[in-house]
Amino acid sequence: MGNPYYECPLPVTIPPAKPFLESIKLGIKETLFPDDPFRQFKNQPASRKFILGMQYFVPILEWAPRYTFEFFKADLIAGITIASLAVPQGISYASLASLPPIIGLYSSFVPPLVYAMLGSSKDLAVGTVAVASLLISSMLGKEVNPNENARLYVQLALTATFFAGVFQAALGLLRLGFIVDFLSHATIVGFMGGAATVVCLQQLKGILGLVRFTHGTDLVSVLRSVFSQTHQWRWESGVLGCCFLFFLVLTRYVSKRKPCFFWINAMAPMMSVIVGSVLVYLTNAEKYGVQVIGHLEKGLNPLSVSELAFGSPYMVAAIKTGIITGVIALAEGVAVGRSFAMFKNYHIDGNKEMIAFGMMNIAGSCVSCYLTTGPFSRTAVNFNAGCKTAGSNIVMAAAVMVTLLFLTPLFHYTPIVVLSSIIIAAMLGLIDYEAAIGLWKVDKCDFIVCVSAYIGVVFGSVEIGLVIAVTISLLRMLLSVARPRTFLLGNIPNSMIFRSIDQYPIANNIPGVLILQIDAPVYFANANYLRERISRWIYEEDEKLKSTGGSSLQYVILDLSAVGSTDTSGISMFKEVKKNIDRRGLKLVLANPRSEVIKKLVKSKFIESIGQEWIYLTVGEAVAACNFMLHASKSNNQVADEFDAHNNA
């Protein structure tokens, strides 16, 4: 690197200025339309654009014309299979939400039909989920007691579902789906695990046959309620619950070990309901303290538009519940849909999915349905059953319709303990301890977020756990923005490559030159920190060179290749850094400034103050120029010394 001869570097090009409106348009497009959904409309006649637009917003119009009998056979088998899971789960999760069991069946009829028309996933199976059910119960239960004022509670649940749908659809229409991304993977793992633990604890009421139970969801309240009523435990109910739970867990284990037997796990809940109902009927177990569902009304979903409690004094609670449950349902549904789309190598549009979820919940709230999304367990069964399109949801809805019209009286003797066993078996799959272990191995901060969410849910409440996890995640994100990394770069031997000395210990420092890389955009949030950190780098390097007797520091090169953008605070930081460097008698050099950065530096006249000749395309060119200047300065000093010596002689 000491060669005084080097090729003339290429100049750094300053991009031409764009009109303000064009820049705004481009920024909006990159922010809200990263997938460019309008590209299919280019150079198309008006009639074709209309057809493409209808297919975009109503995907069934795209795949229905290509639907074949082979697809129908596959969807028919898958639909019937998931219906056998949807019926007992629907009843169970409605009970978990403190709603009448029949509403759980209603919620597996209309929403799947809406999603089949508007959804873009071929594999997603729509239905109610345990976590959202628990959230509804815990949040609305604080405002209205579902036992004392059942009608008002149902009205608030439907109203919350309506607002959840409005919020979901609005996020999709406004292309704001990235908001859901603030729920990180670690947050979801911890939150879902904590919620699953709480749900399992809540089911001790059904397993033990207790009549009165706490409305609290935290561990302490649940255990206090359980052990303060030991004299009311029903051994008959406990034995029955443990037997069915063992059966459900066993079938799940067999299905995981032998995927070809997925149908065993899918049919197990319905088999449990049938066997449990027959046992209760034949043994008159109801007389011995085994609680049953009781009467379920026959008939399809009644209209519930008039039941939406828009004028209720609890309106704020309904909106809050709707937004929180809507976000959780979106995060789960979109994540599940994308996961299974990867297996079949196709793409789903997250914003279209949000619109589909929103519309099915809005429609559902008007026909006596509560919040639905795409649960993992039901979707996994749908996928393994070989579904080909969203038509499997239509088949499932048809099967549920038959159940509502003709079969609901058969569920009269279904024991509550069986429903509790079904819920516990489903929730055990949400406690993903393997993912938590993976977080610990890969990223300790993510593990802390995960554990915080879990502890917050289990020992506080579902809302507290969610708030803690999101807060820690946001603080971590803000910390990474406010305290970006800066690296000392060195030269990899026998190359023109410069990399972090921490990562590559073999990299060599360049005598007289300090090379720093800023690893983030420079904004108001981190400008002061970067100014102080760069000053400290310079001070430490200067002190190290003085202590070792090496060449004094002459140049500071800032590698801006990772600085994608800056603002006025960032420009002020660069100016202050230059002043600090000038006071020390050093020279500031910039390497590879990005397009947005160089434009702002030019407009602020910073480039004019530093000199265009001190801006280079690469760190290698900047180092070569500094070495050339150092060599030239050294040669000039030697000539001057020889001249002085000659004169003195």
Side-chain angles (χ1 to χ4, degrees):
M1 298 299 297
N3 185 2
Y5 302 101
Y6 72 102
E7 295 182 2
C8 182
L10 294 172
V12 175
T13 302
I14 300 172
K18 293 181 180 179
F20 177 72
L21 291 179
E22 185 179 341
S23 299
I24 293 294
K25 181 180 177 181
L26 182 62
I28 293 175
K29 181 179 179 181
E30 290 299 317
T31 302
L32 302 181
F33 304 97
D35 55 342
D36 192 14
F38 303 114
R39 63 182 180 276
Q40 60 180 330
F41 296 96
K42 293 179 181 178
N43 304 320
Q44 298 288 344
S47 59
R48 181 60 181 165
K49 287 182 179 179
F50 175 77
I51 294 174
L52 290 173
M54 291 297 295
Q55 290 178 344
Y56 179 81
F57 288 105
V58 188
I60 193 174
L61 298 177
E62 180 183 358
W63 58 263
R66 297 182 277 106
Y67 201 69
T68 65
F69 185 69
E70 294 298 322
F71 283 5
F72 173 72
K73 288 194 296 183
D75 288 342
L76 179 65
I77 294 172
I80 293 174
T81 304
I82 57 177
S84 66
L85 182 64
V87 171
Q89 278 192 350
I91 295 173
S92 303
Y93 293 159
S95 301
L96 180 61
S98 301
L99 293 168
I102 192 65
I103 291 183
L105 291 180
Y106 292 158
S107 302
S108 294
F109 174 46
V110 173
L113 295 175
V114 178
Y115 182 82
M117 292 188 291
L118 303 179
S120 59
S121 173
K122 301 175 184 178
D123 303 287
L124 201 72
V126 171
T128 54
V129 289
V131 175
S133 301
L134 176 66
L135 275 168
I136 290 173
S137 177
S138 63
M139 296 181 71
L140 294 182
K142 295 177 181 177
E143 306 294 332
V144 176
N145 190 317
N147 297 320
E148 297 176 0
N149 199 339
R151 182 180 177 184
L152 178 58
Y153 181 83
V154 171
Q155 290 175 341
L156 291 179
L158 297 177
T159 307
T161 300
F162 175 83
F163 283 110
V166 170
F167 182 70
Q168 292 170 333
L171 286 182
L173 290 170
L174 298 176
R175 311 288 293 185
L176 298 177
F178 61 86
I179 292 177
V180 179
D181 294 336
F182 283 102
L183 291 176
S184 66
H185 173 66
T187 300
I188 293 175
V189 169
F191 176 77
M192 289 295 185
T197 303
V198 168
V199 169
C200 290
L201 291 172
Q202 288 279 330
Q203 300 318 300
L204 292 176
K205 173 186 177 183
I207 295 291
L208 299 174
L210 299 176
V211 178
R212 292 182 294 106
F213 205 71
T214 179
H215 292 291
T217 59
D218 60 286
L219 178 66
V220 176
S221 298
V222 172
L223 292 182
R224 183 186 296 121
S225 181
V226 168
F227 289 102
S228 64
Q229 303 182 72
T230 52
H231 58 287
Q232 295 185 8
W233 291 7
R234 298 284 184 177
W235 69 267
E236 303 93 340
S237 182
V239 170
L240 196 62
C242 290
C243 291
F244 281 111
L245 181 58
F246 175 77
F247 169 70
L248 292 166
V249 172
L250 180 63
T251 57
R252 185 167 174 267
Y253 174 78
V254 171
S255 297
K256 287 186 70 175
R257 292 294 299 270
K258 302 287 185 180
C260 59
F261 293 125
F262 72 91
W263 55 272
I264 296 178
N265 185 40
M267 300 295 291
M270 182 60 78
M271 292 168 61
S272 299
V273 168
I274 294 172
V275 173
S277 300
V278 171
L279 282 176
V280 169
Y281 179 77
L282 294 178
T283 62
N284 291 321
E286 190 176 358
K287 297 180 179 179
Y288 299 97
V290 177
Q291 302 174 43
V292 298
I293 290 178
H295 175 68
L296 291 180
E297 294 182 5
K298 291 173 61 176
L300 299 181
N301 304 33
L303 290 175
S304 57
V305 178
S306 60
E307 297 296 312
L308 298 178
F310 293 132
S312 170
Y314 304 105
M315 180 77 163
V316 175
I319 294 175
K320 177 184 173 183
T321 303
I323 292 176
I324 293 177
T325 55
V327 170
I328 297 298
L330 269 185
E332 181 176 0
V334 173
V336 169
R338 285 175 175 165
S339 298
F340 285 93
M342 289 174 59
F343 289 121
K344 291 187 177 179
N345 196 28
Y346 69 92
H347 171 73
I348 66 170
D349 187 332
N351 289 291
K352 285 169 66 175
E353 287 295 282
M354 293 177 188
I355 295 173
F357 288 150
M359 296 307 296
M360 75 180 186
N361 281 314
I362 291 173
S365 67
C366 298
V367 286
S368 304
C369 303
Y370 80 105
L371 189 73
T372 52
T373 184
F376 178 83
S377 59
R378 201 175 299 185
T379 302
V381 170
N382 195 32
F383 177 85
N384 290 324
C387 69
K388 297 298 183 182
T389 69
S392 58
N393 280 288
I394 299 176
V395 176
M396 177 184 71
V400 173
M401 179 183 70
V402 172
T403 302
L404 287 169
L405 289 174
F406 306 108
L407 304 179
T408 49
L410 299 179
F411 293 98
H412 178 91
Y413 291 100
T414 300
I416 298 295
V417 65
V418 170
L419 302 182
S420 297
S421 301
I422 292 172
I423 293 175
I424 292 175
M427 289 302 96
L428 292 177
L430 292 181
I431 304 176
D432 196 352
Y433 64 89
E434 292 180 351
I437 294 173
L439 292 174
W440 171 259
K441 292 179 179 178
V442 176
D443 191 327
K444 301 296 189 293
C445 289
D446 269 353
F447 178 77
I448 292 173
V449 171
C450 176
V451 171
S452 299
Y454 183 86
I455 293 175
V457 172
V458 173
F459 291 95
S461 66
V462 177
E463 306 97 285
I464 290 174
L466 186 61
V467 169
I468 290 175
V470 172
T471 300
I472 294 177
S473 297
L474 290 177
L475 286 176
R476 185 188 179 189
M477 182 188 70
L478 291 174
L479 190 62
S480 66
V481 172
R483 294 294 183 267
R485 301 288 301 275
T486 54
F487 301 100
L488 178 64
L489 303 186
N491 176 237
I492 303 295
N494 303 316
S495 74
M496 288 291 290
I497 300 173
F498 293 82
R499 291 292 183 267
S500 169
I501 291 178
D502 286 339
Q503 185 177 358
Y504 297 92
I506 62 171
N508 299 319
N509 287 316
I510 307 301
V513 181
L514 175 65
I515 311 170
L516 299 176
Q517 183 183 60
I518 301 174
D519 198 35
V522 181
Y523 289 118
F524 65 92
N526 58 28
N528 288 331
Y529 168 78
L530 286 172
R531 183 188 68 248
E532 295 170 0
R533 189 66 186 93
I534 292 171
S535 297
R536 194 176 116 201
W537 275 116
I538 296 172
Y539 172 78
E540 290 175 348
E541 183 70 12
D542 211 12
E543 289 296 312
K544 185 174 72 172
L545 291 174
K546 287 179 181 179
S547 64
T548 58
S551 302
S552 61
L553 187 61
Q554 298 292 325
Y555 295 94
V556 177
I557 300 176
L558 292 183
D559 179 9
L560 304 182
S561 57
V563 182
S565 58
T566 188
D567 61 3
T568 53
S569 298
I571 293 171
S572 298
M573 184 277 292
F574 285 118
K575 291 180 178 179
E576 291 174 14
V577 167
K578 181 182 180 301
K579 289 179 182 178
N580 182 32
I581 290 175
D582 289 344
R583 281 196 298 268
R584 292 175 173 270
L586 310 177
K587 187 65 182 177
L588 176 63
V589 184
L590 301 183
N592 193 22
R594 307 292 292 274
S595 172
E596 292 299 316
V597 176
I598 192 69
K599 283 195 293 187
K600 292 182 179 180
L601 293 179
V602 169
K603 291 178 181 179
S604 64
K605 298 185 177 181
F606 178 76
I607 299 299
E608 184 179 322
S609 66
I610 195 177
Q612 181 76 36
E613 67 276 12
W614 292 108
I615 304 175
Y616 296 90
L617 280 176
T618 66
V619 174
E621 289 183 351
V623 171
C626 293
N627 276 335
F628 177 79
M629 296 302 296
L630 286 171
H631 183 85
S633 176
K634 185 176 181 181
S635 299
N636 291 336
N637 290 336
Q638 288 177 350
V639 171
D641 291 342
E642 291 175 1
F643 181 77
D644 290 341
H646 177 74
N647 287 338
N648 291 333

